[in-house]
Amino acid sequence: MGDGENLLAGIDMAKRGYHVVEHVPTELATHVVLRKQG
Amino acid sequence: MSKTRVSCFAISLDGFGAGPGQNLENPLGVGAGELHNWYRPTATFRKMFGQDGGSTGIDNDFAKRSMEDMGAWILGRNMFGPVRGDWPDENWKGWWGPNPPYHVPVYVLTHYPRKPLEMEGGTCFILSPTAFMQPLIAPGKMLAKKMCVSVAVWQRSGNTSRRICSTNYTSPFRRS
């Protein structure tokens, strides 16, 4: 998109303990699920 | 046990969840409508707006999961509407008409509070900077089931997400 509102700007997901638990591509999207450990 | 989650949040490859220049004609911001091309054809989305049919594949599976056990939503103010700053009047009640698709309490994070808006179908918009942290929901039925609180923001999303992440947030929807 190049411009707009960035969901994760300034948020260190890895430092906060999130990791990828699902990754499912379809014709119209790629679904990624992040989950916080603990 | 309650859970706070972000569900079905579509972002572009470069990380944007909404476009610039939001207004009445572009509720998602300019150029962001395409982000939801996978979502709109699903049976889950169509049902939300009273329509039959729709896709039932993997995209719909994710859409359906996102709505399960939903007890409340947290929105950024710009997802609620295009008005900025002080409210000129009480007329704006969201993008969705008299019967919004939430059917549960919806906390709208804003520095410009208003009286709660009781809508048709069980949706109640609570506009406040901090109300989502307080146990405001009284009806027993809301406390008696497994709850999820969905964080859904599409403008200023980074700000709202950061606030959620940086707050010592414990859900007001615990069963005890």
PDB file of all heavy atoms in Angstrom, chain B residues 77-78 80 83-90 108-115 126-130 163:
ATOM      1  N   ARG B  77     -10.980   4.922  17.934  1.00  0.00           N
ATOM      2  CA  ARG B  77     -12.049   5.865  17.608  1.00  0.00           C
ATOM      3  C   ARG B  77     -12.274   5.992  16.110  1.00  0.00           C
ATOM      4  O   ARG B  77     -13.387   6.178  15.645  1.00  0.00           O
ATOM      5  CB  ARG B  77     -11.703   7.246  18.177  1.00  0.00           C
ATOM      6  CG  ARG B  77     -12.855   8.227  17.965  1.00  0.00           C
ATOM      7  CD  ARG B  77     -12.441   9.654  18.171  1.00  0.00           C
ATOM      8  NE  ARG B  77     -13.596  10.519  18.053  1.00  0.00           N
ATOM      9  CZ  ARG B  77     -13.529  11.833  18.170  1.00  0.00           C
ATOM     10  NH1 ARG B  77     -12.386  12.421  18.421  1.00  0.00           N
ATOM     11  NH2 ARG B  77     -14.616  12.568  18.025  1.00  0.00           N
ATOM     12  N   ASN B  78     -11.209   5.909  15.354  1.00  0.00           N
ATOM     13  CA  ASN B  78     -11.373   6.111  13.912  1.00  0.00           C
ATOM     14  C   ASN B  78     -12.048   4.933  13.229  1.00  0.00           C
ATOM     15  O   ASN B  78     -12.566   5.071  12.124  1.00  0.00           O
ATOM     16  CB  ASN B  78     -10.022   6.402  13.264  1.00  0.00           C
ATOM     17  CG  ASN B  78      -9.439   7.704  13.749  1.00  0.00           C
ATOM     18  OD1 ASN B  78     -10.013   8.359  14.609  1.00  0.00           O
ATOM     19  ND2 ASN B  78      -8.295   8.076  13.197  1.00  0.00           N
ATOM     20  N   PHE B  80     -14.569   3.708  14.599  1.00  0.00           N
ATOM     21  CA  PHE B  80     -15.955   4.032  14.925  1.00  0.00           C
ATOM     22  C   PHE B  80     -16.506   5.109  13.985  1.00  0.00           C
ATOM     23  O   PHE B  80     -17.702   5.133  13.700  1.00  0.00           O
ATOM     24  CB  PHE B  80     -16.027   4.499  16.380  1.00  0.00           C
ATOM     25  CG  PHE B  80     -17.392   4.906  16.847  1.00  0.00           C
ATOM     26  CD1 PHE B  80     -18.388   3.956  17.049  1.00  0.00           C
ATOM     27  CD2 PHE B  80     -17.691   6.241  17.083  1.00  0.00           C
ATOM     28  CE1 PHE B  80     -19.657   4.331  17.471  1.00  0.00           C
ATOM     29  CE2 PHE B  80     -18.951   6.619  17.522  1.00  0.00           C
ATOM     30  CZ  PHE B  80     -19.934   5.664  17.715  1.00  0.00           C
ATOM     31  N   VAL B  83     -15.143  11.359  12.538  1.00  0.00           N
ATOM     32  CA  VAL B  83     -15.112  12.618  13.276  1.00  0.00           C
ATOM     33  C   VAL B  83     -13.833  12.679  14.114  1.00  0.00           C
ATOM     34  O   VAL B  83     -13.458  11.703  14.760  1.00  0.00           O
ATOM     35  CB  VAL B  83     -16.349  12.741  14.192  1.00  0.00           C
ATOM     36  CG1 VAL B  83     -16.336  14.071  14.942  1.00  0.00           C
ATOM     37  CG2 VAL B  83     -17.634  12.581  13.383  1.00  0.00           C
ATOM     38  N   ARG B  84     -13.145  13.799  14.100  1.00  0.00           N
ATOM     39  CA  ARG B  84     -11.942  14.002  14.902  1.00  0.00           C
ATOM     40  C   ARG B  84     -12.200  15.111  15.926  1.00  0.00           C
ATOM     41  O   ARG B  84     -13.020  15.987  15.705  1.00  0.00           O
ATOM     42  CB  ARG B  84     -10.751  14.399  14.009  1.00  0.00           C
ATOM     43  CG  ARG B  84     -10.456  13.423  12.878  1.00  0.00           C
ATOM     44  CD  ARG B  84      -9.924  12.101  13.404  1.00  0.00           C
ATOM     45  NE  ARG B  84      -9.504  11.253  12.298  1.00  0.00           N
ATOM     46  CZ  ARG B  84     -10.250  10.311  11.736  1.00  0.00           C
ATOM     47  NH1 ARG B  84     -11.477  10.089  12.184  1.00  0.00           N
ATOM     48  NH2 ARG B  84      -9.791   9.582  10.729  1.00  0.00           N
ATOM     49  N   GLY B  85     -11.476  15.067  17.022  1.00  0.00           N
ATOM     50  CA  GLY B  85     -11.600  16.122  18.028  1.00  0.00           C
ATOM     51  C   GLY B  85     -12.941  16.075  18.736  1.00  0.00           C
ATOM     52  O   GLY B  85     -13.540  15.004  18.902  1.00  0.00           O
ATOM     53  N   ASP B  86     -13.400  17.251  19.176  1.00  0.00           N
ATOM     54  CA  ASP B  86     -14.675  17.309  19.908  1.00  0.00           C
ATOM     55  C   ASP B  86     -15.829  16.838  19.031  1.00  0.00           C
ATOM     56  O   ASP B  86     -15.853  17.108  17.825  1.00  0.00           O
ATOM     57  CB  ASP B  86     -14.951  18.752  20.357  1.00  0.00           C
ATOM     58  CG  ASP B  86     -13.980  19.207  21.436  1.00  0.00           C
ATOM     59  OD1 ASP B  86     -13.639  18.375  22.299  1.00  0.00           O
ATOM     60  OD2 ASP B  86     -13.564  20.382  21.382  1.00  0.00           O
ATOM     61  N   TRP B  87     -16.772  16.163  19.657  1.00  0.00           N
ATOM     62  CA  TRP B  87     -17.982  15.754  18.939  1.00  0.00           C
ATOM     63  C   TRP B  87     -18.868  16.979  18.739  1.00  0.00           C
ATOM     64  O   TRP B  87     -19.222  17.632  19.718  1.00  0.00           O
ATOM     65  CB  TRP B  87     -18.742  14.689  19.731  1.00  0.00           C
ATOM     66  CG  TRP B  87     -17.967  13.447  19.979  1.00  0.00           C
ATOM     67  CD1 TRP B  87     -17.294  13.122  21.110  1.00  0.00           C
ATOM     68  CD2 TRP B  87     -17.776  12.362  19.065  1.00  0.00           C
ATOM     69  NE1 TRP B  87     -16.683  11.886  20.955  1.00  0.00           N
ATOM     70  CE2 TRP B  87     -16.972  11.403  19.720  1.00  0.00           C
ATOM     71  CE3 TRP B  87     -18.213  12.108  17.758  1.00  0.00           C
ATOM     72  CZ2 TRP B  87     -16.584  10.216  19.109  1.00  0.00           C
ATOM     73  CZ3 TRP B  87     -17.841  10.926  17.151  1.00  0.00           C
ATOM     74  CH2 TRP B  87     -17.032   9.997  17.822  1.00  0.00           C
ATOM     75  N   PRO B  88     -19.246  17.302  17.513  1.00  0.00           N
ATOM     76  CA  PRO B  88     -20.099  18.488  17.311  1.00  0.00           C
ATOM     77  C   PRO B  88     -21.508  18.278  17.850  1.00  0.00           C
ATOM     78  O   PRO B  88     -22.187  19.229  18.213  1.00  0.00           O
ATOM     79  CB  PRO B  88     -20.111  18.669  15.791  1.00  0.00           C
ATOM     80  CG  PRO B  88     -19.784  17.323  15.231  1.00  0.00           C
ATOM     81  CD  PRO B  88     -18.886  16.655  16.244  1.00  0.00           C
ATOM     82  N   ASP B  89     -21.943  17.033  17.896  1.00  0.00           N
ATOM     83  CA  ASP B  89     -23.270  16.688  18.412  1.00  0.00           C
ATOM     84  C   ASP B  89     -23.277  15.187  18.686  1.00  0.00           C
ATOM     85  O   ASP B  89     -22.242  14.527  18.605  1.00  0.00           O
ATOM     86  CB  ASP B  89     -24.375  17.074  17.396  1.00  0.00           C
ATOM     87  CG  ASP B  89     -24.060  16.547  16.004  1.00  0.00           C
ATOM     88  OD1 ASP B  89     -23.720  15.344  15.893  1.00  0.00           O
ATOM     89  OD2 ASP B  89     -24.145  17.319  15.034  1.00  0.00           O
ATOM     90  N   GLU B  90     -24.425  14.633  18.995  1.00  0.00           N
ATOM     91  CA  GLU B  90     -24.531  13.205  19.342  1.00  0.00           C
ATOM     92  C   GLU B  90     -24.967  12.368  18.142  1.00  0.00           C
ATOM     93  O   GLU B  90     -25.382  11.211  18.298  1.00  0.00           O
ATOM     94  CB  GLU B  90     -25.546  13.029  20.484  1.00  0.00           C
ATOM     95  CG  GLU B  90     -25.177  13.752  21.770  1.00  0.00           C
ATOM     96  CD  GLU B  90     -24.089  13.031  22.541  1.00  0.00           C
ATOM     97  OE1 GLU B  90     -24.167  11.808  22.676  1.00  0.00           O
ATOM     98  OE2 GLU B  90     -23.146  13.709  22.991  1.00  0.00           O
ATOM     99  N   VAL B 108     -14.957   1.897  22.655  1.00  0.00           N
ATOM    100  CA  VAL B 108     -14.299   2.755  21.673  1.00  0.00           C
ATOM    101  C   VAL B 108     -13.295   3.634  22.423  1.00  0.00           C
ATOM    102  O   VAL B 108     -13.681   4.477  23.239  1.00  0.00           O
ATOM    103  CB  VAL B 108     -15.326   3.634  20.927  1.00  0.00           C
ATOM    104  CG1 VAL B 108     -14.623   4.516  19.909  1.00  0.00           C
ATOM    105  CG2 VAL B 108     -16.389   2.769  20.254  1.00  0.00           C
ATOM    106  N   LEU B 109     -12.005   3.411  22.169  1.00  0.00           N
ATOM    107  CA  LEU B 109     -10.974   4.182  22.860  1.00  0.00           C
ATOM    108  C   LEU B 109     -10.932   5.595  22.293  1.00  0.00           C
ATOM    109  O   LEU B 109     -10.680   5.792  21.113  1.00  0.00           O
ATOM    110  CB  LEU B 109      -9.604   3.527  22.667  1.00  0.00           C
ATOM    111  CG  LEU B 109      -9.435   2.112  23.199  1.00  0.00           C
ATOM    112  CD1 LEU B 109      -7.978   1.678  23.051  1.00  0.00           C
ATOM    113  CD2 LEU B 109      -9.872   2.013  24.643  1.00  0.00           C
ATOM    114  N   THR B 110     -11.194   6.578  23.142  1.00  0.00           N
ATOM    115  CA  THR B 110     -11.200   7.958  22.684  1.00  0.00           C
ATOM    116  C   THR B 110     -10.955   8.887  23.864  1.00  0.00           C
ATOM    117  O   THR B 110     -11.361   8.588  24.999  1.00  0.00           O
ATOM    118  CB  THR B 110     -12.540   8.330  22.008  1.00  0.00           C
ATOM    119  OG1 THR B 110     -12.545   9.733  21.727  1.00  0.00           O
ATOM    120  CG2 THR B 110     -13.726   7.991  22.893  1.00  0.00           C
ATOM    121  N   HIS B 111     -10.292   9.994  23.589  1.00  0.00           N
ATOM    122  CA  HIS B 111     -10.135  11.031  24.609  1.00  0.00           C
ATOM    123  C   HIS B 111     -11.335  11.961  24.641  1.00  0.00           C
ATOM    124  O   HIS B 111     -11.325  12.951  25.373  1.00  0.00           O
ATOM    125  CB  HIS B 111      -8.852  11.831  24.341  1.00  0.00           C
ATOM    126  CG  HIS B 111      -7.600  11.024  24.527  1.00  0.00           C
ATOM    127  ND1 HIS B 111      -7.211  10.532  25.754  1.00  0.00           N
ATOM    128  CD2 HIS B 111      -6.677  10.593  23.637  1.00  0.00           C
ATOM    129  CE1 HIS B 111      -6.083   9.843  25.614  1.00  0.00           C
ATOM    130  NE2 HIS B 111      -5.741   9.857  24.339  1.00  0.00           N
ATOM    131  N   TYR B 112     -12.345  11.659  23.843  1.00  0.00           N
ATOM    132  CA  TYR B 112     -13.542  12.497  23.775  1.00  0.00           C
ATOM    133  C   TYR B 112     -14.755  11.645  24.147  1.00  0.00           C
ATOM    134  O   TYR B 112     -15.498  11.185  23.280  1.00  0.00           O
ATOM    135  CB  TYR B 112     -13.692  13.103  22.378  1.00  0.00           C
ATOM    136  CG  TYR B 112     -12.511  13.976  21.998  1.00  0.00           C
ATOM    137  CD1 TYR B 112     -11.383  13.415  21.385  1.00  0.00           C
ATOM    138  CD2 TYR B 112     -12.505  15.337  22.280  1.00  0.00           C
ATOM    139  CE1 TYR B 112     -10.290  14.189  21.058  1.00  0.00           C
ATOM    140  CE2 TYR B 112     -11.419  16.128  21.957  1.00  0.00           C
ATOM    141  CZ  TYR B 112     -10.309  15.546  21.354  1.00  0.00           C
ATOM    142  OH  TYR B 112      -9.224  16.321  21.034  1.00  0.00           O
ATOM    143  N   PRO B 113     -14.954  11.405  25.445  1.00  0.00           N
ATOM    144  CA  PRO B 113     -16.012  10.490  25.884  1.00  0.00           C
ATOM    145  C   PRO B 113     -17.407  11.000  25.523  1.00  0.00           C
ATOM    146  O   PRO B 113     -17.631  12.198  25.363  1.00  0.00           O
ATOM    147  CB  PRO B 113     -15.841  10.466  27.410  1.00  0.00           C
ATOM    148  CG  PRO B 113     -14.501  11.043  27.681  1.00  0.00           C
ATOM    149  CD  PRO B 113     -14.198  11.974  26.554  1.00  0.00           C
ATOM    150  N   ARG B 114     -18.302  10.057  25.403  1.00  0.00           N
ATOM    151  CA  ARG B 114     -19.725  10.365  25.215  1.00  0.00           C
ATOM    152  C   ARG B 114     -20.537   9.409  26.079  1.00  0.00           C
ATOM    153  O   ARG B 114     -20.007   8.423  26.591  1.00  0.00           O
ATOM    154  CB  ARG B 114     -20.117  10.174  23.743  1.00  0.00           C
ATOM    155  CG  ARG B 114     -19.748  11.329  22.863  1.00  0.00           C
ATOM    156  CD  ARG B 114     -19.907  10.971  21.407  1.00  0.00           C
ATOM    157  NE  ARG B 114     -21.280  10.593  21.036  1.00  0.00           N
ATOM    158  CZ  ARG B 114     -21.623  10.249  19.791  1.00  0.00           C
ATOM    159  NH1 ARG B 114     -20.715  10.256  18.834  1.00  0.00           N
ATOM    160  NH2 ARG B 114     -22.860   9.916  19.510  1.00  0.00           N
ATOM    161  N   LYS B 115     -21.815   9.698  26.193  1.00  0.00           N
ATOM    162  CA  LYS B 115     -22.695   8.768  26.885  1.00  0.00           C
ATOM    163  C   LYS B 115     -22.758   7.460  26.104  1.00  0.00           C
ATOM    164  O   LYS B 115     -22.694   7.467  24.877  1.00  0.00           O
ATOM    165  CB  LYS B 115     -24.106   9.359  27.004  1.00  0.00           C
ATOM    166  CG  LYS B 115     -24.223  10.479  28.032  1.00  0.00           C
ATOM    167  CD  LYS B 115     -25.638  10.997  28.113  1.00  0.00           C
ATOM    168  CE  LYS B 115     -26.028  11.747  26.847  1.00  0.00           C
ATOM    169  NZ  LYS B 115     -27.317  12.450  26.948  1.00  0.00           N
ATOM    170  N   ILE B 126     -19.368   2.121  24.025  1.00  0.00           N
ATOM    171  CA  ILE B 126     -18.918   2.797  25.233  1.00  0.00           C
ATOM    172  C   ILE B 126     -17.679   3.599  24.860  1.00  0.00           C
ATOM    173  O   ILE B 126     -16.614   3.036  24.595  1.00  0.00           O
ATOM    174  CB  ILE B 126     -18.611   1.773  26.336  1.00  0.00           C
ATOM    175  CG1 ILE B 126     -19.870   0.952  26.639  1.00  0.00           C
ATOM    176  CG2 ILE B 126     -18.091   2.465  27.591  1.00  0.00           C
ATOM    177  CD1 ILE B 126     -19.600  -0.408  27.210  1.00  0.00           C
ATOM    178  N   LEU B 127     -17.833   4.910  24.790  1.00  0.00           N
ATOM    179  CA  LEU B 127     -16.759   5.773  24.296  1.00  0.00           C
ATOM    180  C   LEU B 127     -16.015   6.384  25.461  1.00  0.00           C
ATOM    181  O   LEU B 127     -16.534   7.254  26.168  1.00  0.00           O
ATOM    182  CB  LEU B 127     -17.332   6.866  23.393  1.00  0.00           C
ATOM    183  CG  LEU B 127     -17.958   6.366  22.090  1.00  0.00           C
ATOM    184  CD1 LEU B 127     -19.455   6.178  22.237  1.00  0.00           C
ATOM    185  CD2 LEU B 127     -17.652   7.302  20.939  1.00  0.00           C
ATOM    186  N   SER B 128     -14.783   5.937  25.663  1.00  0.00           N
ATOM    187  CA  SER B 128     -14.035   6.341  26.842  1.00  0.00           C
ATOM    188  C   SER B 128     -12.570   5.982  26.650  1.00  0.00           C
ATOM    189  O   SER B 128     -12.250   5.019  25.954  1.00  0.00           O
ATOM    190  CB  SER B 128     -14.592   5.592  28.065  1.00  0.00           C
ATOM    191  OG  SER B 128     -13.666   5.600  29.125  1.00  0.00           O
ATOM    192  N   PRO B 129     -11.637   6.730  27.284  1.00  0.00           N
ATOM    193  CA  PRO B 129     -10.224   6.345  27.185  1.00  0.00           C
ATOM    194  C   PRO B 129      -9.866   5.141  28.049  1.00  0.00           C
ATOM    195  O   PRO B 129      -8.850   4.498  27.814  1.00  0.00           O
ATOM    196  CB  PRO B 129      -9.487   7.601  27.642  1.00  0.00           C
ATOM    197  CG  PRO B 129     -10.450   8.331  28.493  1.00  0.00           C
ATOM    198  CD  PRO B 129     -11.831   8.009  27.963  1.00  0.00           C
ATOM    199  N   THR B 130     -10.653   4.860  29.067  1.00  0.00           N
ATOM    200  CA  THR B 130     -10.243   3.838  30.034  1.00  0.00           C
ATOM    201  C   THR B 130     -11.323   2.817  30.377  1.00  0.00           C
ATOM    202  O   THR B 130     -11.042   1.851  31.091  1.00  0.00           O
ATOM    203  CB  THR B 130      -9.830   4.501  31.369  1.00  0.00           C
ATOM    204  OG1 THR B 130     -10.919   5.307  31.818  1.00  0.00           O
ATOM    205  CG2 THR B 130      -8.592   5.354  31.195  1.00  0.00           C
ATOM    206  N   ARG B 163      -1.246   0.827  23.150  1.00  0.00           N
ATOM    207  CA  ARG B 163      -1.889   1.064  24.447  1.00  0.00           C
ATOM    208  C   ARG B 163      -2.328  -0.252  25.069  1.00  0.00           C
ATOM    209  O   ARG B 163      -2.171  -0.465  26.256  1.00  0.00           O
ATOM    210  CB  ARG B 163      -3.100   1.980  24.262  1.00  0.00           C
ATOM    211  CG  ARG B 163      -2.718   3.406  24.008  1.00  0.00           C
ATOM    212  CD  ARG B 163      -3.934   4.290  24.003  1.00  0.00           C
ATOM    213  NE  ARG B 163      -4.659   4.211  25.270  1.00  0.00           N
ATOM    214  CZ  ARG B 163      -5.783   4.882  25.490  1.00  0.00           C
ATOM    215  NH1 ARG B 163      -6.291   5.623  24.548  1.00  0.00           N
ATOM    216  NH2 ARG B 163      -6.389   4.778  26.648  1.00  0.00           N
TER     217      ARG B 163
END
